[in-house]
Every structure is written in C-alpha cells, then in structure tokens.
Amino acid sequence: VLEVGSGPGWVTEILISQGFQVDAVEPSDDFIEIARERIQAHISHHHLKFQGGVKFHCDTIEECKLPADSFDAILFFDALHHVVDEKKCLKNCFQCLNSGGVLGIHEESWSQENKDLERQLNEEMNRSGCLESPFTTDYLDYILKKTGFIQITRYHQINGLYPISQGNLTIDQAAQIRAEYANIVIAIKPSTT
C-alpha cells in the first residue's frame, strides 16, 4: 500500500497492524520522525511480527519517484486536498498502481454554498501555511476518469452505534457523512489482463 500524506502515522499504524507492507509519502521531516517513533512503539507494544517496516519518502506525491506498477493500493486519508497539482498527482498514482489496483480517497468535498467550510479552510491556511483545497465531487470524478480510472464508486460514511428503535433507518438516513457531501471514493486502474 502506498499511503499519501501519511502525517504522524496513525493510519500507517492501522495498515501495518492489518499486515500491509507500506510505503508512506510525506513532505514533512518532522511528521516522518513522529511516525517512525509511533510505529516502532506500536509494533513493540502489540508484539507484532511485522518484518517489512515502513518505507518513508520525504517528498510530495507530485515529485516522488516511485516505480511504475508497484502498488496494489494507494490511500489518501484527508490528504488529497493538500496536493498542489492534482493532475500530476493522480497521473503518478495511476502509473504506480498495479493493473487492477485500487485508489482510495477519504475527505470532505467543497461546495460553493458551504461558506463555513470555506472560512475554516482559509483560517487554517493562514495559520499553518498548508494548502487546504478540497475538490467538488463532480471535479474529482472528472479528473479520475480523465486520468484513466474506472469503476469510480462513492460511499456514505456511517459510524457509531444505533439503538434498536432506529433499526429501520436506511443507510442514507444513518450516514453521518453522505456521499454527495464528501469525497469518499474508490477508483480502479483497469486490468491489462
């Protein structure tokens, strides 16, 4: 798995706990150091037999030199909106994926009507200097198709416990984040066989 924008490594922990070999792309040296310490402590604490380690790449996904056809999956968890050049980013991801590989994205989407989100993003950019630029659902679907991805599937996010009295809720009703308001997406690189 290639994890893009791995930050301090909390998703990386989950991936290695599930037995995945992970390459992590992260442009911050500080975050990589935190992630290394965190993952080592996680492996030790849980007595994991994890032999592969995590390979960190201190770079942006747009500039990172990764071998073609080398990953079964690529994951962006709350990270795609930090990418400066989404076309180059997704092109690199497409090239890095094995035939039939899966691209997973999880993050908010942008809509012109959501002034509160726009205000929050502007405040965060002013505070941290980090790009906060989520995509509309339509634009993300468009750029994924243009890059060559197929079977683009959107998901609702459902978390939590529900009392029995709410047992008749539909998935649409129970979703905390509905698919039309988020970029929770899986896309496939076409199989060459």
Side-chain angles (χ1 to χ4, degrees):
V1 174
L2 175 64
E3 181 190 1
V4 181
S6 56
W10 71 270
V11 174
T12 316
E13 276 185 22
I14 296 167
L15 292 170
I16 65 169
S17 293
Q18 299 301 309
F20 291 104
Q21 181 71 32
V22 180
D23 276 53
V25 175
E26 171 56 53
S28 168
D29 282 326
D30 291 338
F31 273 150
I32 290 175
E33 186 57 36
I34 292 166
R36 280 190 172 119
E37 291 173 13
R38 177 183 197 135
I39 290 162
Q40 207 43 46
H42 180 76
I43 290 169
S44 176
H45 177 76
H46 293 286
H47 308 287
L48 297 178
K49 304 266 189 248
F50 186 70
Q51 302 297 319
V54 177
K55 184 175 182 182
F56 287 97
H57 306 270
C58 188
D59 209 342
T60 65
I61 188 62
E62 297 99 323
E63 300 303 322
C64 195
K65 304 295 183 224
L66 297 163
D69 306 315
S70 55
F71 297 98
D72 295 320
I74 298 176
L75 175 63
F76 286 85
F77 192 93
D78 289 337
L80 185 62
H81 65 279
H82 295 305
V83 169
V84 174
D85 185 343
E86 67 273 12
K87 293 174 185 171
K88 187 173 183 182
C89 160
L90 291 174
K91 181 180 176 190
N92 285 351
C93 288
F94 190 85
Q95 291 173 344
C96 290
L97 275 173
N98 288 326
S99 173
V102 178
L103 173 70
I105 300 167
H106 180 287
E107 63 180 35
E108 287 189 73
S109 64
W110 182 81
S111 74
Q112 191 171 353
E113 298 81 35
N114 193 341
K115 297 299 179 190
D116 188 48
L117 176 61
E118 187 173 348
R119 180 190 51 75
Q120 291 172 13
L121 295 174
N122 283 326
E123 287 174 3
E124 181 62 23
M125 285 190 290
N126 289 333
R127 186 187 67 73
S128 69
C130 187
L131 178 64
E132 300 285 345
S133 183
F135 307 111
T136 65
T137 55
D138 288 341
Y139 179 68
L140 183 57
D141 287 351
Y142 165 78
I143 196 82
L144 288 168
K145 288 175 188 170
K146 188 169 174 74
T147 304
F149 287 99
I150 59 171
Q151 297 176 11
I152 299 165
T153 307
R154 296 190 153 274
Y155 294 86
H156 295 301
Q157 179 174 312
I158 300 174
N159 295 321
L161 304 171
Y162 291 87
I164 293 171
S165 62
Q166 292 182 328
N168 292 329
L169 290 178
T170 65
I171 290 173
D172 197 47
Q173 293 167 327
Q176 283 83 22
I177 302 174
R178 293 169 43 102
E180 60 267 24
Y181 302 117
N183 283 319
I184 304 172
V185 178
I186 289 179
I188 308 294
K189 179 178 179 177
S191 180
T192 56
T193 57

